[in-house]
Amino acid sequence: TAYAFTTMLNYVLIGMGSPTALAMLGVQWEKLQWLAAGLSVGIGFGLNTMINNFVSGLILMVERPIQPGDVIELSGTTGKVRNIGIRATTLSTFEGADVLVPNGMLLAEKLTNWTLMNERRRIEIPVGVSYGCDPRTVQSLLFEVAKNTEGVSHEPLPPTILFIGFGESTLDFSVRAWTDDFNQSPIIRSEMAIAIHAALKEARIEIPFPQRDVHIHASEAASLQPVGTSASGMYPGVSG
């Protein structure tokens, strides 16, 4: 609120102070009003995008769909809002880059604000085990790992283990858990994945990898032999 109030007050003071400054310089408004009227049309067309971004910035400050410090995602770019300027908003990405986003784009395109109301984040980890495993046993094991992972919250929901289907070579599960610390969610997810791997290994539950069996018939094997060789590997027609 303080940031929005300070920025808008700055705009108002500049707008109110400009006529006073011109009057102090001896410039009469009556001599400039016709020139201003003529230029306003051209300026309106030439600065259409800039005016759109300016008005969009004011709307962002009044409605506050984003605020400095929020983590947002827009057009595939994710970053933290550093400041909302007259024309553009500056995002600081997690890779260390600063991205300038026109204010009009923030209102015109689909925007995801990860921290608007709270910093909760759902973590999801897919897990596949071999077909010889008991699904109920796997669910119980995964639930204990998720429940005991540091940083996992039981609000709004406790950890959930879903059996989502039958894969080509695995029974597929989804481990879903919530955390209240958005910034630490990647680390929490990593630690949970390591703990899952260790728990499955200790319980001797196999995590299979994709495999393919290739069957070659005798007729196909003969067609794959190099040209000019016989089945025995000797050149035909050549005597010792």
Side-chain angles (χ1 to χ4, degrees):
T1 303
Y3 176 82
F5 176 78
T6 303
T7 304
M8 296 182 68
L9 180 61
N10 184 40
Y11 296 159
V12 171
L13 292 177
I14 292 175
M16 295 177 60
S18 296
T20 304
L22 291 175
M24 294 178 63
L25 293 174
V27 179
Q28 298 180 0
W29 174 248
E30 290 78 8
K31 297 181 179 180
L32 295 177
Q33 59 182 353
W34 295 107
L35 179 61
L39 291 176
S40 61
V41 177
I43 293 175
F45 285 105
L47 301 181
N48 180 45
T49 303
M50 182 176 294
I51 294 174
N52 176 45
N53 291 328
F54 175 77
V55 175
S56 297
L58 296 179
I59 294 175
L60 291 173
M61 294 178 187
V62 173
E63 294 186 354
R64 302 176 67 194
I66 63 172
Q67 305 171 42
D70 285 350
V71 178
I72 67 172
E73 181 178 349
L74 179 71
S75 299
T77 300
T78 302
K80 181 175 291 186
V81 178
R82 196 171 71 183
N83 72 285
I84 303 174
I86 295 178
R87 185 188 66 83
T89 295
T90 304
L91 300 183
S92 295
T93 67
F94 298 112
E95 291 78 17
D98 287 337
V99 180
L100 296 178
V101 181
N103 292 330
M105 183 181 296
L106 296 174
L107 295 179
E109 298 189 10
K110 181 180 178 181
L111 181 146
T112 302
N113 191 334
W114 291 101
T115 56
L116 177 61
M117 303 300 296
N118 54 64
E119 294 195 0
R120 285 176 178 164
R121 178 76 178 270
R122 193 183 77 172
I123 299 171
E124 183 172 359
I125 301 178
V127 179
V129 299
S130 63
Y131 269 88
C133 301
D134 178 35
R136 295 295 183 186
T137 302
V138 176
Q139 278 187 317
S140 300
L141 180 64
L142 295 178
F143 177 77
E144 289 298 322
V145 173
K147 181 182 67 174
N148 296 324
T149 301
E150 185 177 356
V152 170
S153 173
H154 287 256
E155 296 293 337
L157 292 172
T160 304
I161 313 300
L162 300 178
F163 180 29
I164 59 177
F166 302 91
E168 292 185 4
S169 57
T170 59
L171 300 175
D172 296 330
F173 295 83
S174 176
V175 181
R176 300 177 181 179
W178 288 87
T179 179
D180 293 329
D181 193 345
F182 175 86
N183 293 323
Q184 294 297 317
S185 59
I187 298 177
I188 296 173
R189 186 184 188 280
S190 175
E191 293 298 324
M192 186 185 299
I194 294 174
I196 288 173
H197 181 270
L200 293 176
K201 184 177 181 180
E202 182 178 357
R204 298 184 181 277
I205 296 177
E206 181 184 0
I207 303 177
F209 53 88
Q211 302 183 51
R212 295 290 183 272
D213 294 331
V214 180
H215 301 276
I216 301 178
H217 298 283
S219 58
E220 295 178 352
S223 65
L224 293 177
Q225 292 178 4
V227 178
T229 62
S230 64
S232 61
M234 300 294 294
Y235 290 96
V238 178
S239 60

